Structures are given as C-alpha cells and as structure tokens.
Amino acid sequence: MFAKLNQVRQNFSIPLPLPKPKKAQSQYKFEWVEDLKTLKEVQKFRAVQFADQFGITFENGLDQDLYDLDCEHAVLRDKWSNEIVAYTRLKLVQGHELAQSYSAQEFDVSQFSNLSNIVEIGRTCVHPRYRNGRALSMLWLHLVPTVLWKMKAKHLMGCVSIRLEDNKARAYYTHQHLKKMSEQQSIDVKAKPAFEPTHPEYSFPQDERIPKLFDVYLKMNARLSKQAFHDESFNCLDYFVFLDVNEVAKNFVLNKMVNR
C-alpha cells in the first residue's frame, strides 16, 4: 500500500485525501505563516514558551534567527481564542546542503550527505495548557500533506531538547533512557561535542519519565541519538532526531491520529 503511495506522490502535486479528524478535535485551526506580522507573532510565541521552559530572555521579547527567513512556519491555533497553541518550522534541504543546516551546528550529519529531499524540523513548541499530546498530534496531521506532496520529503531530521536549569534529575534520567534504546530506536550520530549529564543529588518518581515530545517522536518510529549536545545559550540538552517519511505516514497519521 505504501509503496503505491510513494509512487503516487511523485506524480501528483496535490495531496490525496486523508481521513478527517473527529469533531472533538475541531477546537483547533491550522495555518501557514504568510506575512511578516504573523511571523513576528510566532517569534513572540516562541520566546514566551522557551523563556518558560529554559529560563532565558530574548531581546525585544522575540526569538529570532537567520533560519526564520528561509523556512516554512506552521501554526496551530485555538479556534475560539485564536491564540497560538503549537508551532514548528520546516526547511527542505539536499544532502550537499546539510553543512548549513541548524542540526549540523550541533551534530555530525555528514553521513546523510548522499540523501535527497530532507526536511529539517525545528523550534517546535507547545503552549503549556495544550501539552497533553493532542495539539502536537493535530499539528503533525496538518503538516503531512505539505511534507509528502509539496516538499516530496523522504526523510525528516531535527533536534529535540530538554532543559537543564532546575531540571537536572529529569535530564539525567532521560539521557539514561536514550542510552538504553534499541538499534531500531537509535541512530549513531555524534554530538559536537558530546555532553554527559551528571547523576542528580536527589530526584522524584516523575523525573524518570521522558518528556512528552520525546515520547511522541519515538511513537512515530523516529530514531534518536544517544549522544547529547549542550546548547549553552538555552542551557539545554539537544538530541538528534531522524525519521523516514513513510513511517510518519503509516505509523503516526493512519494508526495514531485518525483513531484519537
């Protein structure tokens, strides 16, 4: 079935119909950023979420970088309040362009230089009130047509983070969990350089659970690096994420999303 799906997406520029989400999920609406005003709103949203998660401040209250001008920005809003509840950005790159990618600043991605149509995902964040997994799932459901048919992506890559500030116990246990992943769940990508969190002085039972976003990626059959990069500007640990687009379509959209 999915071999045929691959063949179809190479020959058509319009998406095949996906099953519609249930009415219970209609509290959300999806959009792509199409103007500078909305991009600034997104940058403010990111700054607020990252300030809350990582305890950092941003100049002018905006999270901005050079990658923003060359990415597609995806936004999920609460239909009733119109506030942004989830966000991510996408950039299509070819293997020979990976040295300029965001991920390449933290990880050695040279092993993927022979690949084509790689979509890099970054800056993913979710409003605290919507971090039960549903908003992030809905965001992904709406991304799939663009990733599959417009970008004709074959692979997805990016980074997933966990903060260190006042969170050392959970960071440590998350790191230990990832180090024990099977070959099917992990990918041998080296951090530049690798960072090893130290054992915490104390911890609570909830510290042994991995963050929701890590869990979402693993349920999508993503492969995560066992090594972590210490992002000093955010004071967090970043892990490399790599997944096959067909796995996203088969295991996440059809099996997870539609049945929620």
Side-chain angles (χ1 to χ4, degrees):
M1 174 181 176
F2 289 95
K4 293 182 179 179
L5 175 62
N6 252 343
Q7 183 178 7
V8 169
R9 76 177 187 188
Q10 297 297 327
N11 298 322
F12 292 88
S13 59
I14 58 174
L16 298 176
L18 290 172
K20 294 182 179 179
K22 295 181 179 181
K23 291 183 179 179
Q25 298 171 330
S26 63
Q27 74 179 97
Y28 302 114
K29 61 180 181 179
F30 175 85
E31 65 184 48
W32 293 100
V33 172
E34 297 182 348
D35 55 63
L36 290 177
K37 180 180 178 181
T38 310
L39 177 58
K40 188 173 181 179
E41 182 186 6
V42 159
Q43 293 169 338
K44 182 177 180 180
F45 173 77
R46 292 190 330 213
V48 171
Q49 305 314 314
F50 294 148
D52 174 64
Q53 292 180 61
F54 304 113
I56 57 178
T57 58
F58 296 87
E59 185 177 356
N60 300 321
L62 301 174
D63 170 41
Q64 299 174 311
D65 65 20
L66 294 177
Y67 294 93
D68 274 341
L69 300 178
D70 202 24
C71 288
E72 301 286 346
H73 301 268
V75 172
L76 191 73
R77 295 182 185 271
D78 186 296
K79 182 181 293 185
W80 313 116
S81 67
N82 203 45
E83 67 179 328
I84 299 175
V85 301
Y87 161 86
T88 197
R89 70 182 182 188
L90 311 174
K91 178 174 172 57
L92 178 65
V93 296
Q94 305 304 323
H96 65 274
E97 302 171 317
L98 284 177
Q100 286 74 49
S101 67
Y102 186 94
S103 300
Q105 312 312 306
E106 301 182 355
F107 295 91
D108 179 3
V109 294
S110 58
Q111 63 181 284
F112 308 118
S113 60
N114 63 326
L115 301 181
S116 60
N117 291 34
I118 307 166
V119 171
E120 184 174 39
I121 303 172
R123 283 301 200 263
T124 305
C125 49
V126 181
H127 191 288
R129 295 201 306 272
Y130 298 84
R131 290 179 188 166
N132 59 2
R134 178 161 294 182
L136 189 61
S137 297
M138 286 301 298
L139 179 67
W140 269 100
L141 176 61
H142 286 91
L143 290 178
V144 169
T146 294
V147 169
L148 282 178
W149 292 286
K150 181 181 177 182
M151 293 182 165
K152 292 183 170 58
K154 299 177 182 178
H155 314 278
L156 301 178
M157 74 173 193
C159 299
V160 61
S161 307
I162 182 169
R163 79 177 193 273
L164 283 176
E165 185 70 24
D166 299 323
N167 199 47
K168 292 182 179 179
R170 197 171 193 196
Y172 172 81
Y173 285 108
T174 296
H175 188 75
Q176 298 308 308
H177 177 88
L178 297 184
K179 286 175 65 175
K180 296 175 182 177
M181 289 186 302
S182 66
E183 291 185 5
Q184 291 73 31
Q185 293 177 307
S186 63
I187 188 164
D188 186 18
V189 171
K190 307 300 183 184
K192 304 190 302 189
F195 181 90
E196 191 76 22
T198 58
H199 194 286
E201 295 181 2
Y202 62 89
S203 62
F204 299 99
Q206 61 265 29
D207 294 329
E208 299 185 15
R209 298 196 302 266
I210 64 174
K212 188 66 179 181
L213 185 54
F214 284 69
D215 188 51
V216 169
Y217 278 133
L218 289 173
K219 287 180 178 177
M220 291 166 62
N221 284 352
R223 299 164 66 193
L224 275 63
S225 67
K226 294 185 178 182
Q227 289 192 358
F229 175 84
H230 181 206
D231 184 336
E232 295 183 1
S233 60
F234 277 67
N235 195 20
C236 67
L237 297 184
D238 289 345
Y239 296 85
F240 184 76
V241 180
F242 190 85
L243 57 156
D244 180 80
V245 167
N246 288 332
E247 290 298 322
V248 176
K250 180 174 69 174
N251 295 294
F252 188 68
V253 178
L254 298 183
N255 295 341
K256 308 292 185 185
M257 296 295 307
V258 177
N259 295 323
R260 279 185 177 271

